[in-house]
Amino acid sequence: MNLNAGSPPVAGERAAEAIAGARLSVANLINAAPSEIIFTSEATEANNLALFGVAGSAIQSRRRIVVSAIEHKAVLEPAEQLTASGFELSIAPVDAHGRLDLNSFAGLMGDDVLLTSIMAANNETGVLQPIAEAAAIAHRHGALVHCDGAQAVGKIPIDVLALDVDFLSISAHKLYGPVGTGALYAAAGTPPLTPQVFGGGQQNGRRPGTEAAPLLAGFGAAAREAIAHLAAAETTGDRATLLLKELVSRQVRMTRITGSHPVVPGSVAIQLHGVNADSLCLSVGKQLCISTGSACNSGQLRSSHVLESMSFSEENAAEVIRILCPHTTRGALTSFKRQPTAPEKL
Ligand code: PLP
């Protein structure tokens, strides 16, 4: 079936309806207007559109971009690419527990800064970043603010107006929607983004191409689920707390690497002293949502750029794991299975 929202027959109308519904739900999730939502293929594309799109309409006097040291590669790589077109890149450090150092960030700001990009929550540590504070500093210098919200949207309340960000990236699959779609919020009144693809003019030409109606219907449903879940203020943090208590009671030698910083609910990042995280992952990786802070590059274990920026030695980084405690309780999961969210009609 042709689900091209632009085509006249009934299927086209139903697709357009489903897309509009999804746009409204995603907008509601972050307190935006539907017209401020640009659907993309995922958060990676949303980040690229924000960085290259803003750079494309840059004025000559603003040639610097400031990003934090712990950004996902989907921000770091495009930022790095922009240096080839004459932009200067400044990297803002984080403290030893992985939170943006606001003093250093403020020190890097200036009237030559075009854009700053700071993530809402880090994908390795779960640490929530001081977005509103960073946005206020950046705006005082007239810089635009992009936030990679991939790890936070749907898990904690995100209000783009309260945070005062100009752009925010969302990944559908990180909030239990389908893989293959995401969105960029672009605040009304911000300079028009230079499109990164050209074609049939969909989404007002900001990101043309036939919208993936079935995926977007799933994205919309996931956004509505998230709104309900956040409104019910279910605490998944409790599971993380339980896990930590259990580890302490079993006298596991460990340090929570995020210190006392708030983290995304259900996220536990710890250093297990004397334990090789990779071996642990191999032995329990099938039972637990667990990942390590190191990656094997050409046979050599190398700590991630996130742990490096938190001043971890390679030896210590090799002992770090992140455990994700599921977002829902067992009961909620069961009831979700019995009563799946009705997909939007296409
Ligand atoms: N940004 C962050 C913080 C992420 O954690 C991820 C994926 O893990 C991405 C961006 C990329 O998201 P996507 O898979 O939707 O492209």
Side-chain angles (χ1 to χ4, degrees):
M1 180 168 53
N2 179 5
L3 290 178
N4 185 339
S7 58
V10 179
E13 276 171 29
R14 284 158 70 194
E17 230 172 73
I19 294 164
R23 198 182 292 286
L24 177 65
S25 300
V26 172
N28 285 344
L29 179 59
I30 58 167
N31 195 25
S35 57
E36 295 172 315
I37 301 296
I38 306 169
F39 287 125
T40 60
S41 57
E42 70 293 272
T44 297
E45 189 196 333
N47 287 345
N48 275 262
L49 177 57
L51 272 82
F52 288 118
V54 167
S57 50
I59 48 167
Q60 280 305 316
S61 57
R62 290 187 179 265
R63 303 301 289 178
R64 200 151 59 85
I65 291 166
V66 180
V67 304
S68 87
I70 55 164
E71 293 304 305
H72 191 271
K73 295 282 180 190
V75 163
L76 289 176
E77 289 294 320
E80 192 61 49
Q81 287 290 324
L82 283 170
T83 61
S85 349
F87 285 92
E88 197 189 322
L89 179 60
S90 302
I91 306 285
V94 294
D95 65 24
H97 296 305
R99 193 168 191 263
L100 177 71
D101 177 341
L102 280 170
N103 284 333
S104 307
F105 179 77
L108 286 172
M109 270 299 142
D111 295 348
D112 59 334
V113 176
L114 171 69
L115 175 74
T116 184
S117 183
I118 308 292
M119 66 197 338
N122 181 262
N123 46 299
E124 287 185 38
T125 62
V127 172
L128 301 177
Q129 302 301 319
I131 300 303
E133 293 87 335
I137 294 169
H139 282 155
R140 276 203 288 281
H141 291 274
L144 289 164
V145 176
H146 168 250
C147 173
D148 177 352
Q151 290 283 337
V153 174
K155 296 182 185 126
I156 55 164
I158 294 280
D159 178 330
V160 286
L161 298 183
L163 292 175
D164 197 17
V165 293
D166 302 300
F167 305 99
L168 179 103
S169 301
I170 310 173
S171 172
H173 68 98
K174 298 277 186 242
L175 54 113
Y176 307 98
V179 177
T181 186
L184 178 68
Y185 156 79
T190 46
L193 294 167
T194 303
Q196 300 306 298
V197 286
F198 298 86
Q202 292 93 340
Q203 304 201 77
N204 296 325
R206 295 184 297 180
R207 200 283 195 173
T210 303
E211 291 101 324
L215 294 182
L216 294 179
F219 190 6
R224 289 192 293 282
E225 276 289 326
I227 292 169
H229 163 83
L230 288 169
E234 286 169 25
T235 59
T236 50
D238 288 344
R239 291 192 135 210
T241 312
L242 272 179
L243 172 71
L244 286 167
K245 270 194 189 149
E246 191 65 27
L247 292 173
V248 170
S249 76
R250 290 175 190 229
Q251 295 178 333
V252 174
R253 280 183 55 234
M254 53 128 197
T255 310
R256 197 165 188 186
I257 67 165
T258 51
S260 57
H261 290 328
V263 295
V264 87
S267 172
V268 176
I270 46 178
Q271 181 182 354
L272 290 167
H273 302 282
V275 173
N276 181 284
D278 249 28
S279 316
L280 184 70
C281 257
L282 281 177
S283 60
V284 298
K286 289 205 170 108
Q287 289 93 49
L288 284 174
C289 255
I290 181 173
S291 56
T292 67
S294 311
C296 198
N297 290 322
S298 33
Q300 275 242 302
L301 208 60
R302 206 174 173 279
S303 49
S304 73
H305 70 281
V306 174
L307 294 182
E308 265 175 17
S309 65
M310 291 162 70
S311 307
F312 270 77
S313 67
E314 285 190 13
E315 201 180 309
N316 287 344
E319 297 177 339
V320 172
I321 58 162
R322 182 186 181 198
I323 306 170
L324 280 180
C325 306
H327 170 79
T328 41
T329 64
R330 187 176 286 277
L333 266 179
T334 317
S335 64
F336 187 77
K337 270 187 199 145
R338 280 202 208 109
Q339 300 161 340
T341 311
E344 274 180 47
K345 284 185 188 151
L346 291 176

